Amino acid sequence: MTGRVRLATLGVLLLTHPLSAQVPVPALPPQAPGEPRPLPPSYRLAPPQQPTEAQGPFPQPDPSVALPMREELRPIDHVTATVRRQNDGWQLWAGRTLMRDFGQDRVAAQEALRTVRELRPTEWATIGTARPVVDYALTNGKPAAWAPHPKWSVPVDLKSVRAMNVRGAWVVQDDGNILLNFGTDRPGAEQAAAVARKYGFNRVGLIGFPAPAMAYFYAAPVLAQQNQGPDPTAALARAAQEGQLTRTGVAVPGVGFVGERLVIDPRKVEVRKDRGEFVIAHGPDVLARFGQSEWAAQDALKVVRDCRFTEFCTVGPGATFFLVNGAAPTRVPFSVQGTTFDPQKLKARPVSGHWGVFESGGRMLFPAGSKAEAEQLIRVVHAYQFDQLCRVGLSPRASLKFLAKTGR
């Protein structure tokens, strides 16, 4: 009876585990709220016991692979790894080196600690410029010879792994799956794909529940069933994954994809401290910073939740806006400071060696890095029919700014 209970419990885990925005899953039929969602075949529980050479050979590293960027390897002593409660969150440290901040997710931090101790690294690297996307460990310059056993892992086909642009986002994928999503970070995606090939990392381990808070490369023995040839359903599954990416470019008719669009759940947006200041964030993504003003951050959080925003978009260095199921928001609370403008009178103009988007009266609405970027911003405004610039917070530098559509 005990064995049956354990099998039943494992079956529930397999049916109910959702995955993060960084590792999208194939599209599935509509379901009622709370209904268990089956796990795609390519995502599976890792073996319950430590893999050994007897199960199969480890993949061979390829030292001839040239990395696009210099590796940012940090010396690490796994013996000193520990989890600390610091800055209102749980952090993974090794000696004096901060490896990862897990916020309020203590369970994920403890699981990451176990992984570091299993890998026994002497060097550690993180790939991702705007945000950490994937980590990997080396032992004396080589892949760790002792493979971990994460709860969740994704196989990597080293023959086909590559960086690709999908719907305006740079992803790492192979012929079977989209593995990692780097958003607008093309160098990071290319570096990750090259690192996997160079060191023979044939797995991505996932940490955190329900949404993975950390992903890491590792090498595992190549099992016999991994050499059965291509999956005939892989192309269909990958197409479904592309349709469910939660970090893509912003779709602009007649232009294509620009900037970055992040799918958010307004219920999961929170106020927390980051680098000593209050922010509103969605998982690892900071949407706006408010300095020392916690009340301004709480006001912004209320706006996001009350308006039920579902997407957060960034175009250029200074334009941010929300969408509600792909459309411009039309309902803005009275508490929000709003300035209307005529979208048909916007012009791209140079200013102090840079460019900006200006109203006919001479007021600059958004900064831009170039004339092309400024004109691109104007096309975005026209495409979504924005005519109001909104702000929550008293300071221009410590506030949430976004565009809205009033229909005037």
Side-chain angles (χ1 to χ4, degrees):
M1 178 63 70
T2 302
R4 292 181 180 176
V5 171
R6 289 177 178 171
L7 286 174
T9 303
L10 177 60
V12 171
L13 284 173
L14 285 170
L15 289 171
T16 58
H17 189 284
L19 296 169
S20 72
Q22 291 185 8
V23 185
V25 300
L28 294 167
Q31 58 186 42
E35 181 182 348
R37 183 181 291 277
L39 190 70
S42 56
Y43 294 85
R44 51 178 68 93
L45 281 175
Q49 295 182 349
Q50 181 65 41
T52 65
E53 289 283 359
Q55 291 177 288
F58 279 81
Q60 290 298 313
D62 185 357
S64 67
V65 174
L67 300 182
M69 298 187 294
R70 183 172 63 89
E71 289 183 274
E72 298 292 339
L73 292 167
R74 296 169 287 170
I76 209 80
D77 182 0
H78 70 276
V79 176
T80 65
T82 184
V83 170
R84 303 178 188 173
R85 177 71 173 174
Q86 201 161 312
N87 293 333
D88 299 325
W90 295 97
Q91 298 179 344
L92 175 63
W93 289 77
R96 297 182 178 180
T97 301
L98 173 62
M99 299 180 68
R100 183 65 68 94
D101 189 333
F102 289 89
Q104 299 301 315
D105 196 342
R106 180 181 181 181
V107 175
Q110 293 289 354
E111 187 177 342
L113 173 62
R114 176 179 62 78
T115 298
V116 170
R117 290 175 175 173
E118 289 176 347
L119 287 169
R120 306 176 185 179
T122 59
E123 297 166 289
W124 190 269
T126 299
I127 305 177
T129 53
R131 59 188 174 89
V133 177
V134 65
D135 299 88
Y136 64 96
L138 300 178
T139 302
N140 300 321
K142 298 180 179 180
W146 189 262
H149 50 281
K151 292 180 180 179
W152 301 96
S153 67
V154 187
V156 179
D157 177 15
L158 296 176
K159 294 181 180 179
S160 63
V161 65
R162 59 200 182 275
M164 295 285 291
N165 187 282
V166 178
R167 296 178 181 268
W170 284 94
V171 304
V172 175
Q173 69 173 57
D174 58 22
D175 286 346
N177 286 297
I178 294 177
L179 305 166
L180 300 164
N181 190 341
F182 281 80
T184 58
D185 185 7
R186 176 178 182 175
E190 293 176 340
Q191 179 81 352
V195 161
R197 295 195 305 272
K198 178 177 180 177
Y199 293 110
F201 291 131
N202 61 343
R203 292 286 189 282
V204 176
L206 306 173
I207 291 175
F209 182 88
M214 176 178 171
Y216 60 93
F217 282 132
Y218 70 98
V222 181
L223 306 180
Q225 59 265 32
Q226 291 176 234
N227 298 317
Q228 294 178 345
D231 182 354
T233 65
L236 181 61
R238 190 170 63 253
Q241 285 180 317
E242 292 179 7
Q244 290 197 350
L245 284 174
T246 57
R247 188 184 296 274
T248 68
V250 182
V252 180
V255 177
F257 291 97
V258 302
E260 186 174 58
R261 161 188 165 272
L262 173 68
V263 176
I264 64 173
D265 181 344
R267 298 168 300 179
K268 295 181 180 179
V269 177
E270 62 178 353
V271 172
R272 67 169 183 247
K273 269 201 165 182
D274 181 78
R275 301 176 188 174
E277 60 182 341
F278 288 99
V279 302
I280 60 169
H282 184 268
D285 297 285
V286 173
L287 308 186
R289 297 182 175 273
F290 298 88
Q292 300 305 309
S293 180
E294 182 179 7
W295 68 264
Q298 293 290 353
D299 280 352
L301 175 62
K302 188 175 187 303
V303 169
V304 171
R305 290 180 174 174
D306 287 350
C307 293
R308 300 179 181 178
F309 295 140
T310 58
E311 295 137 274
F312 177 71
C313 303
T314 305
V315 179
T320 58
F321 56 93
F322 292 96
L323 299 177
V324 180
N325 299 321
T330 58
R331 186 175 64 87
V332 179
F334 290 109
S335 59
V336 173
Q337 305 173 55
T339 303
T340 58
F341 59 87
D342 185 347
Q344 302 304 320
K345 296 182 179 180
L346 299 182
K347 300 292 182 181
R349 295 179 185 172
V351 54
S352 303
H354 299 281
W355 283 80
V357 175
F358 288 79
E359 282 188 288
S360 57
R363 183 182 57 151
M364 185 173 75
L365 294 179
F366 321 109
S370 64
K371 180 180 180 181
E373 194 173 78
E375 292 175 343
Q376 188 179 83
L377 280 169
I378 294 174
R379 292 192 186 98
V380 170
V381 170
H382 290 168
Y384 290 97
Q385 300 178 14
F386 292 128
D387 59 6
Q388 186 175 41
L389 182 61
C390 305
R391 191 181 81 190
V392 182
L394 298 178
S395 168
R397 293 188 177 182
S399 60
L400 171 66
K401 290 173 282 188
F402 62 95
L403 290 161
K405 172 186 173 183
T406 64
R408 297 178 181 178

